[in-house]
Amino acid sequence: MTHPLNFTKRMVIWILLLNLLVIGLAVFAIHEDRLEHERRARATAQNLAQLLANDLGAVFGRSGLVLNIVVDEIEKQLVAGPVKRARLDAYLSQQQSHLSEIISLRVTDENGLVRYGKGVPAGTPVDISDRDHFILQKGNPKAGLVIAKPVKARISKEWSIPVSRRINRPNGDFAGVAYINLPVGY
């Protein structure tokens, strides 16, 4: 016959082993669950990053297309003579309506003075001749689409990313830039 103390010891040992087994299984299940959540979070983050990249690429693509269309229109007007302010402002407003996510679509002269576009103040024009995108466009006839570093827009006072294209006179000389301000918050 077994001694009750031995039986109690064995029972305590079995209960401890059983508890250790349950704790071990719980730890394993929690660890596996954590790994699965990390895998899902990683996949979600990658999907969101891809969506963001696609969305930004589409916005820059549409901006580039609109700027090409605007530059073509301005260069056609320059061939015919001086640019007509009312006509160009209406045209810019129409083109801006195709890009709901932007702050503005504007045009400068060769000196960097903002002359055309929605919200351009009357009187003394705003000077952007010191902006990187203007300087790059002025000095490089083949600059193409320029996406500059974020700046605080001088008219809207919002932080934006300027996207610009060079405008040429019929003889190839620099005539200014057409640019879009894309809000940094976007």
Side-chain angles (χ1 to χ4, degrees), residues 78-96:
L78 288 171
V79 167
V83 172
K84 294 174 180 47
R85 181 180 184 89
R87 180 178 165 197
L88 184 54
D89 281 341
Y91 187 78
L92 292 173
S93 183
Q94 175 196 22
Q95 292 304 317
Q96 184 171 338

Side-chain angles (χ1 to χ4, degrees), residues 140-180:
N140 185 354
K142 300 201 184 301
L145 184 70
V146 173
I147 301 170
K149 66 182 179 187
V151 295
K152 191 167 187 178
R154 294 202 169 125
I155 295 174
S156 70
K157 307 297 186 217
E158 294 181 53
W159 280 96
S160 64
I161 299 170
V163 181
S164 65
R165 282 211 177 269
R166 178 185 168 112
I167 303 166
N168 291 315
R169 297 195 181 286
N171 66 2
D173 288 347
F174 180 68
V177 297
Y179 71 98
I180 286 173

Side-chain angles (χ1 to χ4, degrees), residues 87-150:
R87 180 178 165 197
L88 184 54
D89 281 341
Y91 187 78
L92 292 173
S93 183
Q94 175 196 22
Q95 292 304 317
Q96 184 171 338
S97 71
H98 298 302
L99 296 168
S100 60
E101 57 276 321
I102 70 169
I103 298 170
S104 60
L105 169 59
R106 298 199 172 105
V107 175
T108 73
D109 63 15
E110 67 275 4
N111 298 313
L113 300 176
V114 181
R115 298 286 185 185
Y116 309 100
K118 203 176 196 180
V120 173
T124 306
V126 174
D127 185 355
I128 66 159
S129 63
D130 62 333
R131 299 290 182 152
D132 291 344
H133 66 98
F134 181 86
I135 294 166
L136 182 61
Q137 294 288 6
K138 185 175 184 175
N140 185 354
K142 300 201 184 301
L145 184 70
V146 173
I147 301 170
K149 66 182 179 187

Side-chain angles (χ1 to χ4, degrees), residues 9-101:
K9 281 183 183 179
R10 274 191 269 162
M11 190 59 111
V12 168
I13 290 172
W14 276 107
I15 290 173
L16 284 174
L17 288 175
L18 187 59
N19 280 338
L20 286 174
L21 178 64
V22 168
I23 290 170
L25 288 173
V27 167
F28 178 75
I30 290 169
H31 176 71
E32 287 297 311
D33 190 48
R34 179 175 162 249
L35 290 177
E36 180 59 29
H37 283 329
E38 285 177 359
R39 281 191 287 271
R40 285 183 189 167
R42 198 174 304 111
T44 300
Q46 287 172 341
N47 290 340
L48 287 173
Q50 187 62 46
L51 284 172
L52 178 61
N54 291 345
D55 190 42
L56 281 177
V59 168
F60 286 127
R62 286 192 314 271
S63 297
L65 180 61
V66 166
L67 287 171
N68 277 341
I69 292 167
V70 166
V71 167
D72 286 347
E73 174 63 23
I74 294 168
E75 288 178 350
K76 283 179 195 171
Q77 286 189 31
L78 288 171
V79 167
V83 172
K84 294 174 180 47
R85 181 180 184 89
R87 180 178 165 197
L88 184 54
D89 281 341
Y91 187 78
L92 292 173
S93 183
Q94 175 196 22
Q95 292 304 317
Q96 184 171 338
S97 71
H98 298 302
L99 296 168
S100 60
E101 57 276 321

